[in-house]
Amino acid sequence: LSVESSLIPIPMLIDEYRIYLPSVGFFIGLITVAFRIVRVSENRMLWKISASIFIGIILLFSYTTYMRNELWRDKISLWDDVIKKSPNKTNGYINRAIAFKEKGMYQNAIEDFKKVLTINPGHVLGHHNLGALYLKQDKLDDAMKEAEITLRLFPDLTEGHLLLGMIRSKKGKFDEAIHEFRIASKLATQRGD
């Protein structure tokens, strides 16, 4: 694990992908030891037992790999699993909300973004995305509230000003909308977008 670990702390101590590379060395070592034990012994029964154990291990790992791949069949099932294992972290809810949004399941996405804001009330992307979803549903007052919170938390967010401009435009407040679009344009120019 020294390849994947260091003295620098990381936010996610345990992640599936962090063991891929280290596991290669572990299994090479395990198989080498097993073959040496079997090679030293001339006992046919030990050979049969060892072969049965290896076949059993291969079948077990094949089954668990198949089951793990089932979680990856779509984004929602994958993020459901993440949320089940880490219900108090925002990443799973954010990513599942985005998956719901991509499928047009806006109410489910709204519920997930609300959960993000329950866990972390100051989550800028949670407020921004919630505002954008409310705008899609023509809930302009709710969208306005979320856009204003977003800009209070992060005043230089180009997308926040664009969202607020779109909301104000839909409300018929065109001068205010143009003002927001100009701010967004200025911020984007400063960033080099």
Side-chain angles (χ1 to χ4, degrees), residues 2 119 138:
S2 63
I119 295 169
D138 285 326

Side-chain angles (χ1 to χ4, degrees), residues 3 5 10-11 37 39 49 51 62-63 81 86 101 123 138 187:
V3 175
S5 301
I10 55 174
I37 291 171
R39 187 182 301 161
I49 292 170
S62 297
Y63 175 74
D81 184 59
S86 300
K101 183 179 166 190
H123 200 285
D138 285 326
L187 290 169

Side-chain angles (χ1 to χ4, degrees), residues 3 7 19 21 49 56 60 73 88 98 147 155 171 179 185:
V3 175
L7 297 174
I19 62 167
L21 185 58
I49 292 170
L60 175 68
R73 98 184 105 82
N88 296 320
I98 291 167
K171 284 186 147 210
H179 174 73
S185 176

Side-chain angles (χ1 to χ4, degrees), residues 1-8 10 12-27:
L1 287 173
S2 63
V3 175
E4 289 288 320
S5 301
S6 69
L7 297 174
I8 301 168
I10 55 174
M12 299 215 186
L13 182 61
I14 299 172
D15 263 333
E16 193 174 277
Y17 73 89
R18 294 186 72 229
I19 62 167
Y20 292 159
L21 185 58
S23 68
V24 172
F26 172 77
F27 285 112

Side-chain angles (χ1 to χ4, degrees), residues 25-37 54:
F26 172 77
F27 285 112
I28 289 173
L30 181 68
I31 290 169
T32 302
V33 168
F35 274 111
R36 285 189 182 204
I37 291 171
F54 279 123

Side-chain angles (χ1 to χ4, degrees), residues 12 18 28 33-34 39 45 57 65 78 92 103 114 117 121 126 130 141 157 160-161 164-165 175 181 183:
M12 299 215 186
R18 294 186 72 229
I28 289 173
V33 168
R39 187 182 301 161
M45 191 61 167
I57 289 171
T65 300
L78 173 64
K103 289 190 172 204
K114 284 181 178 179
L117 297 175
L130 191 54
D141 291 333
L157 183 65
H161 288 283
L164 192 54
D175 291 339
F181 292 141
I183 293 172

